[in-house]
Amino acid sequence: MKKMPTAVIFDMDGVIFDTERVYLDSCVSAAGELGLGDVQKLCISCIGVTEEVTKKRFAEAIPDPELCARFWETARSKTRETLSRGMPVKEGARELLQKLYTEGIPTALASSTRTETVIRELISVDLFGFFTRIVGGDMVSRSKPDPEIFLKAADMLGVPGQECLVLEDSKNGLLSAKAAGMTVYIIPDLVPIDDEMKEKADMILPSLADVWSELKKDA
């Protein structure tokens, strides 16, 4: 992308919020308490996909329905306890959103999390007003890496996909956005950057704090 994007689409967990580590730690701790073994690799494979897909994968890994339900109840309880102390906002997120807002560049949030949860969490840290459109995982029928969620976000913004910049942390998100024909900057979080991600990402930046200066170079 050799010019300022017409619109910017953000993922949420791992990009706006430093929550992926919270979810991972909660799941690992819950699995340990219930004697389920190491679930870290399984958790990381679910980053960027919908709750429905995540639960399906865990149901396959924990075939006892009662035990699986106990696992989710324990993990959610641990997550709620941690996040009750406040949603951790990623470095540079608020500043980047403010700059985009000031410049009149519309933004959307495309998250695999349910829309109601997305809105509640954004409101809790006073970020909701920065977003022109919100697309939650319950608003699409196919999970990332399918491009549906990003195509829907672009359509709601009224902007062609090729004019959108996507900010993502996960491989599922990267593949989804590239399949939608969009430019993608990866801001690494928990998902290791593999060779395919290096090849497909238009840029890999240390944090959101680096995005604006990079865009201004190309403007």
Side-chain angles (χ1 to χ4, degrees):
M1 182 177 289
K2 295 301 180 183
K3 61 177 182 177
M4 194 68 73
T6 302
V8 179
I9 304 174
F10 290 75
D11 178 41
M12 187 174 75
D13 292 305
V15 175
I16 296 291
F17 292 133
D18 193 10
T19 43
E20 296 290 13
R21 173 60 62 181
V22 175
Y23 302 144
L24 176 62
D25 289 348
S26 296
C27 287
V28 169
S29 177
E33 287 183 13
L34 296 172
L36 296 174
D38 188 2
V39 296
Q40 180 163 315
K41 185 178 292 187
L42 177 57
C43 288
I44 290 176
S45 76
C46 293
I47 292 176
V49 303
T50 61
E51 180 180 353
E52 181 183 6
V53 172
T54 297
K55 286 188 172 181
K56 182 179 179 181
R57 291 182 184 178
F58 270 86
E60 292 170 354
I62 310 171
D64 182 335
E66 183 178 344
L67 184 57
C68 193
R70 285 175 58 202
F71 165 77
W72 283 119
E73 181 181 352
T74 304
R76 281 194 292 265
S77 176
K78 291 177 180 295
T79 297
R80 283 195 299 269
E81 181 180 357
T82 301
L83 296 183
S84 67
R85 298 190 283 272
M87 293 295 295
V89 179
K90 280 275 196 172
E91 176 191 5
R94 192 178 301 275
E95 293 79 7
L96 176 59
L97 285 165
Q98 181 63 65
K99 285 185 173 71
L100 293 169
Y101 181 82
T102 300
E103 292 292 323
I105 298 173
T107 58
L109 194 143
S111 172
S112 297
T113 302
R114 292 183 61 82
T115 308
E116 180 184 0
T117 302
V118 170
I119 293 172
R120 183 178 67 248
E121 291 180 351
L122 290 174
I123 289 174
S124 75
V125 292
D126 199 26
L127 291 179
F128 178 71
F130 286 114
F131 290 97
T132 311
R133 295 288 184 266
I134 303 288
V135 185
D138 54 316
M139 294 174 65
V140 295
S141 59
R142 296 178 297 279
S143 178
K144 300 175 186 177
D146 187 277
E148 182 184 6
I149 193 167
F150 288 114
L151 292 172
K152 187 174 185 68
D155 183 62
M156 290 172 68
L157 288 167
V159 176
Q162 63 268 26
E163 295 181 18
C164 294
L165 169 66
V166 172
L167 301 176
E168 263 284 0
D169 67 301
S170 74
K171 186 173 184 175
N172 286 321
L174 167 62
L175 295 176
S176 172
K178 294 306 290 185
M182 301 178 180
T183 298
V184 186
Y185 288 4
I186 288 292
I187 315 297
D189 190 47
L190 292 185
V191 178
I193 304 298
D194 62 20
D195 289 341
E196 184 180 11
M197 293 177 74
K198 290 177 183 177
E199 178 187 349
K200 291 185 179 296
D202 293 276
M203 194 159 293
I204 299 173
L205 296 173
S207 80
L208 290 177
D210 302 289
V211 172
W212 186 252
S213 59
E214 195 59 45
L215 290 177
K216 292 295 285 184
K217 287 181 187 178
D218 294 334

